[in-house]
Amino acid sequence: MKKLLHIAVLCGMLVFSMQLAAQVQPAVSPDFEPIHWAYSSFFGTGWYQVKDARSVFVLRVPPRQTLRKSFISDAGERQVGMEIRYPLTVGLHDLEDLGDLIEDDNFGTVSFVPGVEFEIPVTSRWYLRPFVNFGWGTELESGESAWIYYAGIKSRYTFPAGKHEWSLLNSLYYAGYSPDEGRSDHLATADLGVEFRQALSAFTLNSRPVDLHWSLMYSFMGNELHFNLPDGSFDPIDDQLEFGLALSLRDGPFEFWIFKIHQLGLGYRVSSSGRFSAVTFNMRSWFTK
């Protein structure tokens, strides 16, 4: 009964997320502005492309500082975890192909959007991660700048399955920007997905056991993103599906010099229209990235 109650609460959270995302959708207008470069700090490392249009490459370096780890005891005693995040994002925009990086219509951006993230143990299987980030970014060529913000809450509920593990994932995000010139904008997104951890008993790295992580995530955007096309028209994107695959060490993170990497993974995103696609790279699970 308790498990059914948890699942019902999670489903209710998703429905509420979808309704809230729909409420912030702006009035329909025939005049659209193309997606702003400020959103690159929100989407994460990857190569994003719209068919018949142009591409964007984003590199996001997300160092973080753990101030307090979360825990929950068998007796119900719990502690809320806390992290400070310092994500630095570099974007190369309007790239037609890798051999054309110095075209006049290409430009680069840099943004720094620090924030705080909490981890709340509701039960031993159900964790929440609310977060808020606020910072600034600039386009290097023109000097245009913008204040950037995003906040939200993520949820993970884990189902035991022997040496394997299933997790139900969902979240609600709200992101936006306010440029030094022009109008501000915002974006609301609701996510629902699953993640499966598979223990690879026959495979090790330096005698260390390895796990494989499979994930599937659907995202609904309360505000359509409009990508400008070469003919002057716009291609609206209001959802995406992401397939992910990652590798991790079961007894601890990968260690490279001073860096500790929890997993190495790739993701493929595609919109329901098939026109928008992306290849992403991650070093943490969806719940903590």
Side-chain angles (χ1 to χ4, degrees):
M1 183 67 183
K2 193 174 182 180
K3 290 183 179 180
L4 292 176
L5 178 60
H6 289 162
I7 295 173
V9 172
L10 287 172
C11 292
M13 179 181 174
L14 175 64
V15 172
F16 173 76
S17 300
M18 301 287 279
Q19 290 176 342
L20 182 59
Q23 287 176 4
V24 297
Q25 186 171 356
V28 177
S29 169
D31 299 320
F32 298 120
E33 291 187 3
I35 182 172
H36 198 272
W37 55 262
Y39 284 128
S40 60
S41 63
F42 171 69
F43 287 125
T45 300
W47 188 276
Y48 302 85
Q49 185 176 40
V50 177
K51 289 183 179 179
D52 302 324
R54 296 178 178 176
S55 304
V56 177
F57 175 74
V58 176
L59 176 62
R60 188 170 184 262
V61 182
R64 64 186 68 205
Q65 177 185 5
T66 301
L67 301 183
R68 186 173 63 240
K69 291 186 176 181
S70 66
F71 77 85
I72 182 168
S73 67
D74 294 336
E77 181 185 1
R78 56 175 55 84
Q79 175 175 283
V80 175
M82 181 179 180
E83 289 183 343
I84 304 297
R85 307 180 67 183
Y86 309 96
L88 176 67
T89 304
V90 177
L92 298 175
H93 300 251
D94 290 350
L95 305 182
E96 296 191 13
D97 56 64
L98 285 175
D100 249 345
L101 295 181
I102 315 184
E103 288 289 328
D104 292 338
D105 54 350
N106 295 332
F107 64 94
T109 61
V110 175
S111 58
F112 179 62
V113 190
V116 59
E117 185 166 321
F118 300 92
E119 184 169 86
I120 304 172
V122 182
T123 70
S124 60
R125 301 194 183 281
W126 185 16
Y127 280 72
L128 301 176
R129 289 184 74 96
F131 60 92
V132 60
N133 292 68
F134 181 80
W136 179 85
T138 183
E139 186 199 320
L140 299 178
E141 184 175 343
S142 69
E144 176 192 349
S145 62
W147 293 103
I148 305 167
Y149 56 87
Y150 50 90
I153 184 169
K154 295 179 284 188
S155 169
R156 176 198 289 274
Y157 186 88
T158 303
F159 300 89
K163 63 180 180 179
H164 305 305
E165 186 179 85
W166 283 95
S167 295
L168 175 65
L169 311 171
N170 58 41
S171 69
L172 177 66
Y173 292 82
Y174 184 79
Y177 64 90
S178 179
D180 51 3
E181 295 182 5
R183 68 181 186 183
S184 304
D185 198 9
H186 60 260
L187 170 69
T189 303
D191 300 322
L192 174 64
V194 292
E195 187 175 67
F196 176 63
R197 180 180 63 82
Q198 177 185 3
L200 301 180
S201 56
F203 181 71
T204 60
L205 287 176
N206 293 328
S207 301
R208 300 175 67 180
V210 174
D211 290 338
L212 196 61
H213 303 262
W214 306 81
S215 62
L216 177 64
M217 179 70 65
Y218 175 76
S219 301
F220 169 75
M221 301 174 188
N223 309 58
E224 291 181 338
L225 296 177
H226 295 94
F227 293 88
N228 51 328
L229 303 180
D231 62 3
S233 63
F234 289 86
D235 188 18
I237 304 296
D238 61 5
D239 70 349
Q240 65 178 5
L241 189 65
E242 180 174 9
F243 306 87
L245 182 63
L247 200 69
S248 71
L249 298 175
R250 196 174 313 149
D251 58 359
F254 296 97
E255 296 186 9
F256 297 98
W257 191 36
I258 62 173
F259 302 102
K260 293 185 177 181
I261 300 175
H262 290 258
Q263 69 176 31
L264 295 170
L266 290 174
Y268 177 72
R269 300 181 188 179
V270 62
S271 64
S272 58
S273 66
R275 296 186 60 82
F276 169 76
S277 62
V279 176
T280 60
F281 175 76
N282 65 78
M283 294 184 290
R284 283 178 175 260
S285 72
W286 172 89
F287 184 68
T288 59
K289 68 180 179 181

